[in-house]
Amino acid sequence: MSSDIEDMFERLLKLPGAEGAILVNGEGIPIRTSMDVMSSQKYAGKMTPLIKMARSMIRDVEPGDDLSYLRLRTRRNELMVAAENDHMVILIQNNALLDQARRTSAQSNRFVSKGNAFLGVAKGVRRPRNS
């Protein structure tokens, strides 16, 4: 397996809540996985016809366009599928951990914005006074 694919798997598995990643070939067979064989085969076997159906729907609705990404959310997991040519990559993430990471990220982004406003004031930028 190429180092690019190995690097991709390592990056995917470092994402918040990542429980597993599966690379599936055009026949629906997992060719690289971080999960057990039975789970990988189950996800690949069920996702392959769904991707084919979604791809067909996109092509019917938007001729000339193609499916590139599908995101499914269940009560427990979020499944993200990147479909390219005949291969697909399935990423399974735990919702609780993913949502927690998103909240933390949103809070830190708000802090940074407030922090930037504070830095502007601290550097002598005057705020307009109310009349």
Side-chain angles (χ1 to χ4, degrees):
M1 191 90 21
S2 78
S3 65
D4 290 340
I5 293 173
E6 294 299 326
D7 291 345
M8 175 195 62
F9 263 78
E10 292 303 316
R11 284 193 313 273
L12 288 175
L13 293 171
K14 288 179 183 175
L15 292 173
E19 292 185 347
I22 309 162
L23 175 62
V24 182
N25 70 12
E27 288 81 46
I29 299 168
I31 55 176
R32 170 70 167 90
T33 183
S34 65
M35 302 176 72
D36 64 89
V37 173
M38 292 299 289
S39 295
S40 299
Q41 289 174 343
K42 185 186 291 185
Y43 278 107
K46 299 294 183 183
M47 196 59 72
T48 299
L50 182 60
I51 290 295
K52 286 180 182 180
M53 187 184 316
R55 181 171 273 151
S56 175
M57 190 272 308
I58 294 297
R59 289 176 179 166
D60 287 347
V61 173
E62 293 289 331
D65 205 354
D66 198 4
L67 177 72
S68 58
Y69 186 74
L70 180 68
R71 183 175 170 180
L72 301 169
R73 188 170 172 107
T74 69
R75 286 185 217 124
R76 287 185 295 201
N77 292 317
E78 186 165 289
L79 305 165
M80 293 183 283
V81 184
E84 189 170 320
N85 301 322
D86 290 333
H87 289 77
M88 68 177 148
V89 176
I90 304 169
L91 177 66
I92 298 99
Q93 289 179 283
N94 177 291
N95 280 344
L97 297 174
L98 182 59
D99 291 346
Q100 180 182 5
R102 286 176 177 160
R103 281 191 298 275
T104 302
S105 177
Q107 288 171 352
S108 66
N109 286 341
R110 281 195 296 270
F111 176 75
V112 168
S113 296
K114 290 177 182 176
N116 287 341
F118 172 76
L119 288 175
V121 172
K123 289 182 179 179
V125 176
R126 295 183 183 221
R127 296 165 69 185
R129 292 186 167 197
N130 293 337
S131 303

